Amino acid sequence: MLRSFSIKYPALITVIPLACGICISYFTGIRLFFLPEWFQYLILLLLTVFIIILYNKKTKGELFMFPYLMLLVFFGMFSLQLSHFKEGKDNISQNISSGPGNVIIKGIVIERPEITDERIRVLLEINGLNGSFKNGRVFASVYKNKFKEEFSRPIYYGDEIELKGRLEPLPFQRNPGEFNYGEYLKLQGIDAVFTAYGYENITVTAHKEQNFFMEHIIYPVKDYSVRVIDSLIGGSEGEYLKGLLLGERSNIPRQLKEDFINAGVAHIIAVSGLNVAYVA
């Protein structure tokens, strides 16, 4: 029965046990943070190897189906533990002070910053908090000081920067049933949020080579595409096209966004690069 089901629905026979493992890990409260991170990665690697081996053998009979399904369940459990629950003493989420006052965080920009006329948003891989070593990921927003003339500071993928401001835990769900933004950020591997006011709170200390493919191929091609759209189209139409094709939605005019929302077609400007790749 399982064998015939796997032949007819090969995707479901993989997705269902994987989703079950994720749900078990999430809802049962199991925590494996006491295991070293390298050991958890090793477990995932071994599970992957065994899954591949059993996948090639499961067509020979249902005997191989049950361990194959169990390995997928365990893979889902461990993958969520590794990405979602980070409770080590050096993780930034365990070192957030509840009192007032600014802190200084130091980290490396691991995604292209979102820079607008009003703010700069960066995703940081943290390596320091007030001079001591910490790890984790922080989503930082630095807002323009409205009381003086300021210009956005250039920040690039791979820059090591210092930020002075307020470090806060992930936002929580205020009302039952509403979108849980903090949980969404946590599922993206983010451990805390950071807010600062004034671009003088940003200091670029160094640049460290990151992913060669992203830094020297993907982002340069994206920048070239943005320049071509600006030169050939420009205006709000150009900003819309950049959002649709490249995911650059930060400079779409506020009124245009509201028009899309009021018309009930806001999802059009939320199309991701992955969707474009599917179409291609």
Side-chain angles (χ1 to χ4, degrees):
M1 179 179 177
L2 276 176
R3 184 171 178 271
S4 60
F5 183 83
S6 67
I7 294 174
K8 192 174 182 180
Y9 306 104
L12 285 179
I13 206 68
T14 299
V15 171
I16 292 176
L18 190 65
C20 288
I22 293 173
C23 291
I24 291 172
S25 182
Y26 183 79
F27 290 108
T28 60
I30 297 173
R31 299 292 183 270
L32 301 176
F33 61 88
F34 58 89
L35 295 175
E37 190 170 299
W38 65 266
F39 188 69
Q40 295 189 49
Y41 276 115
L42 179 62
I43 292 175
L44 284 179
L45 178 61
L46 293 175
L47 287 173
T48 303
V49 171
F50 287 130
I51 287 171
I52 294 174
I53 293 173
L54 288 175
Y55 181 82
N56 293 325
K57 291 182 176 294
K58 68 183 179 66
T59 55
K60 299 178 181 179
E62 294 197 6
L63 176 64
F64 296 98
M65 288 296 298
F66 295 101
Y68 171 74
L69 297 176
M70 289 304 300
L71 286 175
L72 285 171
V73 171
F74 285 124
F75 188 91
M77 293 176 61
F78 275 94
S79 61
L80 184 71
Q81 289 286 326
L82 192 58
S83 63
H84 194 62
F85 301 115
K86 303 174 182 177
E87 301 182 14
K89 63 179 182 179
D90 289 332
N91 187 266
I92 195 74
S93 62
Q94 305 301 310
N95 294 270
I96 299 176
S97 173
S98 59
N102 290 337
V103 299
I104 297 176
I105 63 172
K106 186 175 183 180
I108 298 174
V109 180
I110 58 175
E111 281 190 6
R112 176 64 66 91
E114 178 188 320
I115 301 177
T116 67
D117 295 334
E118 300 177 350
R119 66 171 181 243
I120 298 174
R121 281 184 170 174
V122 292
L123 180 60
L124 297 177
E125 188 74 45
I126 294 298
N127 54 32
L129 171 64
N130 290 334
S132 60
F133 172 77
K134 301 297 174 187
N135 58 40
R137 290 186 177 183
V138 170
F139 187 52
S141 300
V142 182
Y143 293 89
K144 179 181 179 181
N145 189 334
K146 297 181 179 180
F147 300 101
K148 66 178 182 180
E149 188 70 20
E150 281 193 320
F151 299 96
S152 299
R153 298 195 173 188
I155 301 175
Y156 303 101
Y157 171 76
D159 281 351
E160 184 178 63
I161 64 175
E162 284 186 355
L163 298 176
K164 183 179 180 181
R166 182 166 181 79
L167 183 67
E168 297 177 299
L170 297 176
F172 57 89
Q173 188 179 34
R174 298 182 181 276
N175 299 302
E178 73 173 5
F179 176 67
N180 192 332
Y181 184 56
E183 192 66 22
Y184 167 78
L185 292 177
K186 194 169 185 179
L187 288 172
Q188 306 304 310
I190 297 172
D191 303 302
V193 292
F194 180 92
T195 306
Y197 294 91
Y199 295 148
E200 70 274 6
N201 292 307
I202 305 174
T203 303
V204 179
T205 58
H207 181 84
K208 296 187 177 181
E209 190 78 14
Q210 298 297 303
N211 187 300
F212 177 87
F213 186 72
M214 295 294 294
E215 190 162 0
H216 297 285
I217 299 178
I218 296 297
Y219 286 140
V221 170
K222 185 176 182 179
D223 291 339
Y224 172 76
S225 302
V226 167
R227 291 194 299 269
V228 169
I229 293 174
D230 285 337
S231 63
L232 296 181
I233 302 175
S236 59
E237 294 86 355
E239 296 300 334
Y240 161 71
L241 188 60
K242 285 189 285 186
L244 183 65
L245 296 178
L246 305 172
E248 286 285 343
R249 298 182 289 272
S250 56
N251 290 318
I252 295 178
R254 187 186 301 274
Q255 184 59 48
L256 182 60
K257 289 182 179 179
E258 292 179 357
D259 290 341
F260 273 97
I261 293 172
N262 293 333
V265 291
H267 61 280
I268 294 178
I269 55 175
V271 175
S272 68
L274 183 60
N275 296 68
V276 176
Y278 285 153
V279 175

